[in-house]
Amino acid sequence: LDSARNDKRAMNKQDIIDLIITQLKADIQITQQAVLLARDTATHKDCLGSSKYETMGTEASYLAKGQGERLLELQRALTYFKEVNIEPKDSIQPISFIRLQDEQGKAQLYLLASDAGGLKLSHCKQNITVITHQSPLGKALMGKQAGDNVELKITNKTVCYEIISVV
C-alpha cells in the first residue's frame, strides 16, 4: 500500500508523457539525418557499381527504406503521445503505470501504451519501460488491478508477477 502511495506521489503522468515526447522528437531528428545520409549514399554516382558484385548502392537503398519506416513509426508514436488521455483508471488500460514485482522480489515499473514499445526512460530516479498492449506482457496485464497476479510463459518457463500498483 505504501508503494502505491509513493508511486502516485513520485509520478506525474504528464511529466512522463512530456519526457517521452521529448525523447521521440530527439529520435526523429536523428532518424531524419540517417534517412538523408542513406538516401544520398544510395543515389551517389560512386555507389552505383559497374558490376552485379558491387552492391553498395543497393545495400544503402535497403538501409534508407528501413530508416524511412523507422521514421514513420516514431512520427506515429509522437502523434499518439501528444493526443493521449492520461485520466486515472481503476484497471490496467493504455497509459497505465504498473509496478510489478517478480518472484524474487525485484520490482519494475512499466507504462502500458499503444505505441513506442521498448522505449526506456528514467524519471525521479525510477527506470520506466514502455510496453504495448500487443506485447505478451501487455496482453497479460490488460484489465488487471493492483493485487492481481499475472503469469507469463517465456521460453518454456512460467514467470509470475504481482501487480503492486496501477497509476
Side-chain angles (χ1 to χ4, degrees):
L1 198 56
D2 286 336
S3 178
R5 275 192 228 121
N6 289 339
D7 282 349
K8 288 180 183 178
R9 278 196 298 263
M11 256 189 283
N12 177 327
K13 278 187 179 183
Q14 191 58 56
D15 287 349
I16 296 170
I17 298 301
D18 291 344
L19 187 61
I20 290 170
I21 289 170
T22 300
Q23 180 64 47
L24 289 170
K25 285 179 178 178
D27 290 349
I28 285 170
Q29 270 190 320
I30 291 167
T31 305
Q32 285 173 328
Q33 293 170 356
V35 167
L36 291 175
L37 181 60
R39 186 185 67 205
D40 289 348
T41 301
T43 58
H44 193 274
K45 66 178 180 160
D46 291 340
C47 295
L48 295 179
S50 57
S51 75
K52 67 179 181 178
Y53 301 107
E54 295 177 19
T55 61
M56 186 172 172
T58 302
E59 292 167 9
S61 70
Y62 290 141
L63 180 60
K65 181 180 184 280
Q67 292 289 2
E69 290 170 0
R70 175 73 179 137
L71 181 59
L72 291 174
E73 289 173 5
L74 290 168
Q75 290 169 335
R76 183 186 67 231
L78 179 61
T79 299
Y80 168 76
F81 281 101
K82 283 182 173 180
E83 298 173 354
V84 77
N85 177 2
I86 60 170
E87 295 300 315
K89 298 160 180 77
D90 292 332
S91 63
I92 297 174
Q93 302 295 322
I95 307 303
S96 292
F97 286 93
I98 306 119
R99 182 171 301 280
L100 297 180
Q101 185 172 334
D102 66 17
E103 295 164 314
Q104 288 76 38
K106 182 181 176 194
Q108 291 181 281
L109 185 59
Y110 296 95
L111 168 61
L112 183 72
S114 294
D115 220 322
L119 182 67
K120 295 177 188 263
L121 53 137
S122 182
H123 177 71
C124 295
K125 297 181 182 178
Q126 294 185 65
N127 293 323
I128 303 166
T129 303
V130 178
I131 59 172
T132 65
H133 59 274
Q134 296 96 348
S135 69
L137 180 57
K139 285 178 185 176
L141 290 170
M142 285 295 290
K144 303 282 189 197
Q145 297 179 341
D148 289 348
N149 290 314
V150 174
E151 286 188 3
L152 191 63
K153 194 165 190 164
I154 302 172
T155 60
N156 296 327
K157 181 181 175 188
T158 301
V159 181
C160 296
Y161 296 101
E162 180 183 356
I163 302 170
I164 303 300
S165 64
V166 178
V167 180

